[in-house]
Amino acid sequence: MLRKLIQIFLLLVFWSGLVFIGVQTVRVPTTTTTENRMLTKKPPLPASWQDVPDYIHTLEAWWSDSVAFRQLFVRQFNLLRLNVGIGPQKNVLLGKEGWLFDSSEQLDDFRNSKLLTNEELSAWRKYLIFRHQDAKKRGAKFFFVIIPNKESVYAEFMPDNVTRLTQMSRMDQIVEAVKNDGVAVLDLRNILAEGKKNNLRIYHQHDIHWNLIGANYGQYAIIKALEPDFPELKSELHPLDDFEFVSGNAVNKAGIVYYAGLGRMMGLSELTQEYEPVFKTAKPGCAEPAKLQVAPWGGLSEERKDIIFKATACQTGHYRAVVFRDSFAELMFPYLSETFRYIAYVWLPRPSPMSEWRYFMDEVHPDIIIDENVERFLEKIPRAGVDYPL
């Protein structure tokens, strides 16, 4: 009898909990998440019987995303998986010593399981030759810079069961394809390996990005590669005394936020409490906001423009530059903005179309063009007639 009463009590608690969560979901649905994606919006009622199946499917997705206390459930589930040594999410790979890697986009890169076909490699070659030649006609120097994925730099922390099928990578293919075409390609793997030898962490343990010290080595390699053609540039590695190390999320004086995105995405805020380097000071008169006309994108909000298009000026700097970039280049801002007299940063989909390329060439009149790509974006193949001429 007692056993039945306990069973009935537990069933009542279970169903009462479900009812409570259901009521709370209707009253106060979850509307935000740390998962780095947009939550499904509640669908309107179907206009006809034919729309009912799609409505039900979307309603289920909305309910799953909007269920009350969802972020708490996500956190506890991921924490449980992490503590038993299982990857917390399908897009997050648990490596050795607590390192996290993004398995949604970059696992194929690490394993070299999807190399570029001859046709794709030819498209990359034509794209890079066009940029190189067009820049040369304008009296400028074009540099194609590849920043390696985190797992390419910290392969020793990848799980033992994730192995490379071949040592040849997309990066290697592209570097080899244009080695006789005069295109300046800068592969940052070697310089970042030097940073590791100094026992410095140069990528976040719980995010895909490098940190400010990694970016320090990156900017050094870029400026050093430019020096032969632009002698007024002087490459230097900023000493550790130029940094302070802080715990958790921090914003440096350049307005750059450092955070552990993979941990944050899983709702595990404690994983963001890494000690991260923050640049202490900037040179007087440098990194000052500068004008950059972006008329073709007039439909963008001012907030979006401020994110996508940036320009700075430095009174003691030299030369004019444009950086076509992704999120990795942002941590090089404190360095590059103190190096160039004028520099424009353009964050648009990679590879960038010819129309955008030509617009910023005409607007900025640069001496130097840096086309920065992180390794995982090399799978995005340049398009004939869009990114390079037919």
Side-chain angles (χ1 to χ4, degrees):
M1 182 65 179
L2 179 61
R3 184 177 178 180
K4 288 186 177 181
L5 287 174
I6 292 174
Q7 289 175 339
I8 292 171
F9 174 75
L10 291 176
L11 282 172
L12 287 172
V13 170
F14 175 76
W15 286 108
S16 298
L18 287 183
V19 170
F20 174 72
I21 291 173
V23 171
Q24 287 296 101
T25 300
V26 174
R27 292 182 61 251
V28 191
T30 297
T31 56
T32 60
T33 181
T34 62
E35 295 169 83
N36 198 26
R37 68 180 182 87
M38 297 293 292
L39 296 178
T40 305
K41 293 183 178 180
K42 188 176 182 179
L45 292 173
S48 66
W49 286 108
Q50 288 78 9
D51 297 332
V52 169
D54 288 339
Y55 170 77
I56 293 175
H57 176 76
T58 308
L59 187 66
E60 288 175 346
W62 169 80
W63 185 270
S64 176
D65 278 356
S66 303
V67 66
F69 314 111
R70 183 179 188 280
Q71 199 59 44
L72 174 63
F73 295 148
V74 167
R75 169 184 163 77
Q76 294 303 320
F77 176 72
N78 288 328
L79 189 60
L80 175 63
R81 289 173 63 93
L82 193 63
N83 287 334
V84 298
I86 301 174
Q89 288 185 350
K90 66 177 182 179
N91 293 335
V92 179
L93 180 68
L94 177 61
K96 299 174 183 177
E97 299 183 22
W99 280 67
L100 300 179
F101 298 91
D102 183 347
S103 61
S104 64
E105 297 177 332
Q106 298 170 207
L107 206 55
D108 288 332
D109 287 337
F110 179 78
R111 300 184 71 240
N112 296 326
S113 60
K114 293 183 179 179
L115 297 180
L116 299 170
T117 65
N118 290 337
E119 183 180 356
E120 291 170 338
L121 193 56
S122 176
W124 266 113
R125 180 171 176 267
K126 291 174 183 177
Y127 168 84
L128 292 173
I129 290 175
F130 161 68
R131 303 283 158 125
H132 162 69
Q133 292 178 343
D134 192 63
K136 190 174 182 179
K137 290 176 184 176
R138 297 166 181 266
K141 181 77 173 181
F142 172 76
F143 267 79
F144 187 65
V145 178
I146 307 174
I147 301 177
N149 293 336
K150 170 181 164 181
E151 57 272 16
S152 295
V153 178
Y154 285 100
E156 66 270 25
F157 293 114
M158 289 289 283
D160 290 334
N161 65 322
V162 182
T163 57
R164 288 188 167 107
L165 301 181
T166 174
Q167 292 304 308
M168 175 66 72
S169 68
R170 292 192 191 108
M171 295 175 69
D172 297 321
Q173 286 182 291
I174 291 174
V175 171
E176 180 69 19
V178 297
K179 68 178 183 180
N180 297 320
D181 296 316
V183 181
V185 178
L186 183 58
D187 171 2
L188 296 183
R189 284 177 292 187
N190 289 336
I191 188 66
L192 293 177
E194 288 297 317
K196 284 180 61 180
K197 287 180 182 178
N198 293 327
N199 201 30
L200 296 171
R201 182 184 293 176
I202 55 178
Y203 279 66
H204 293 274
Q205 185 178 8
H206 302 130
D207 187 39
I208 64 174
H209 292 86
W210 59 8
N211 59 26
L212 204 61
I213 292 178
N216 184 21
Y217 279 88
Q219 65 84 25
Y220 173 78
I222 291 170
I223 302 305
K224 192 171 185 64
L226 289 168
E227 277 180 355
D229 295 302
F230 302 93
E232 291 186 79
L233 296 179
K234 300 298 178 185
S235 56
E236 64 172 328
L237 280 171
H238 287 250
L240 284 180
D241 290 344
D242 285 355
F243 304 92
E244 59 182 334
F245 289 81
V246 299
S247 177
N249 291 359
V251 181
N252 79 344
K253 293 181 181 180
I256 299 171
V257 180
Y258 306 94
Y259 61 93
L262 294 177
R264 179 173 167 270
M265 184 174 71
M266 297 181 295
L268 303 178
S269 57
E270 63 270 28
L271 295 185
T272 68
Q273 303 304 308
E274 300 179 36
Y275 282 92
E276 297 297 347
V278 174
F279 206 54
K280 288 181 181 177
T281 59
K283 291 180 183 177
C286 280
E288 297 294 332
K291 180 182 177 182
L292 177 61
Q293 181 65 38
V294 290
W297 296 272
L300 292 173
S301 67
E302 291 303 313
E303 182 180 6
R304 289 296 298 166
K305 285 183 181 179
D306 289 342
I307 294 172
I308 296 172
F309 309 107
K310 295 179 183 291
T312 60
C314 180
Q315 297 174 5
T316 58
H318 304 280
Y319 309 110
R320 296 175 67 84
V322 171
V323 179
F324 293 95
R325 64 144 183 138
D326 52 44
S327 57
F328 270 75
E330 189 162 354
L331 288 188
M332 291 194 288
F333 286 7
Y335 311 107
L336 299 181
S337 293
E338 292 185 348
T339 299
F340 293 99
R341 185 174 74 253
Y342 176 94
I343 184 167
Y345 303 99
V346 181
W347 190 1
L348 292 168
R350 320 311 314 285
S352 54
M354 286 185 292
S355 58
E356 295 166 0
W357 162 272
R358 286 168 172 157
Y359 174 81
F360 286 104
M361 295 304 99
D362 294 337
E363 177 64 28
V364 177
H365 301 290
D367 305 298
I368 298 163
I369 304 102
I370 299 170
D371 190 349
E372 175 267 321
N373 281 256
V374 69
E375 180 183 357
R376 70 178 185 272
F377 289 149
L378 298 180
E379 69 173 1
K380 300 179 184 295
I381 310 302
R383 301 156 295 177
V386 177
D387 304 318
Y388 64 91
L390 290 170

